[in-house]
């Protein structure tokens, strides 16, 4: 099982990308994805919504 963090902003939904790549960044555990999501929420504007999708 893998998890992907998605970003939603003004009806535009995209996955968090691997650095320097067009591939979506995958997380092995929900805990890892949650930690990254918390960091992203704290670093981005409040109108950007982050959520986790199970792959």
């Amino acid at each position: 099982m893998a998890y992907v963090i998605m970003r939603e902003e003004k009806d535009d939904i995209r996955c968090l990308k691997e650095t320097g790549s067009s591939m979506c960044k995958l997380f092995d555990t929900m805990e890892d994805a949650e930690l990254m999501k918390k960091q992203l929420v704290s670093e981005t504007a409040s109108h950007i919504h982050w959520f986790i999708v199970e792959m």
Side-chain angles (χ1 to χ4, degrees):
M1 197 74 54
Y3 302 90
V4 175
I5 298 178
M6 304 295 291
R7 166 189 174 136
E8 179 181 13
E9 181 180 8
K10 297 181 182 176
D11 296 329
D12 182 28
I13 299 176
R14 302 178 189 183
C15 67
L16 180 68
K17 303 285 188 186
E18 288 283 0
T19 304
S21 171
S22 62
M23 299 290 291
C24 294
K25 182 169 180 62
L26 298 177
F27 296 87
D28 293 328
T29 67
M30 178 62 92
E31 291 80 16
D32 289 344
E34 284 286 353
L35 283 173
M36 179 58 78
K37 180 184 164 195
K38 285 180 186 175
Q39 180 179 340
L40 292 166
V41 167
S42 71
E43 294 175 354
T44 55
S46 61
H47 70 279
I48 299 172
H49 300 282
W50 296 94
F51 56 98
I52 298 170
V53 176
E54 191 174 329
M55 301 297 283

